[in-house]
Amino acid sequence: LIETNDIDKINDISIESIQLTPALLQYHQLKQEYPNYLLLFAIGDFYEIFFDDAIKASQILSIALTKRNKSTIPMCGIPCHALDVYLQKLLKAGIKVAICD
């Protein structure tokens, strides 16, 4: 889990300084197309959320903010079967959401 006092360090992460996996590269490309949307990215049975979107979503949805493997990439996720519940919370909070299946 990422501690609240670590969020400032995360905000200083540069995409260019991170070696992205193919999935994270696709996420980053989609995020550039939809910069004002919180991007839910389907991976297996979860919608994963990364970087600044993960920080925002974890606070709004009261879900755990973690890191991808040993990297500094913040992430969180919601089960695909519970999408409707979490999507309603995001929309009620005034967040625009893009979903990548």
Side-chain angles (χ1 to χ4, degrees):
L1 295 176
I2 296 176
E3 299 296 324
T4 305
N5 57 354
D6 290 335
I7 291 176
D8 289 335
K9 295 176 196 170
I10 291 166
N11 288 333
D12 293 334
I13 296 170
S14 166
I15 291 293
E16 293 77 24
S17 68
I18 301 171
Q19 180 133 7
L20 298 178
T21 64
L24 282 175
L25 182 58
Q26 184 180 12
Y27 181 92
H28 179 63
Q29 290 168 340
L30 288 167
K31 187 62 183 171
Q32 288 180 318
E33 290 181 43
Y34 301 94
N36 298 319
Y37 289 74
L38 191 138
L39 181 58
L40 303 178
F41 193 76
I43 298 178
D45 293 335
F46 283 83
Y47 284 103
E48 301 291 355
I49 309 162
F50 300 98
F51 302 104
D52 291 343
D53 282 355
I55 296 168
K56 183 187 293 186
S58 69
Q59 293 168 344
I60 293 169
L61 300 174
S62 298
I63 58 177
L65 180 65
T66 62
K67 294 188 274 187
R68 181 145 179 94
N69 299 329
K70 295 178 184 176
S71 76
T72 56
I73 299 171
M75 66 178 289
C76 62
I78 57 173
C80 290
H81 68 82
L83 175 63
D84 291 344
V85 172
Y86 289 105
L87 187 57
Q88 282 186 6
K89 288 181 182 182
L90 291 168
L91 295 174
K92 281 185 182 179
I95 305 297
K96 293 191 268 183
V97 178
I99 300 172
C100 177
D101 273 321

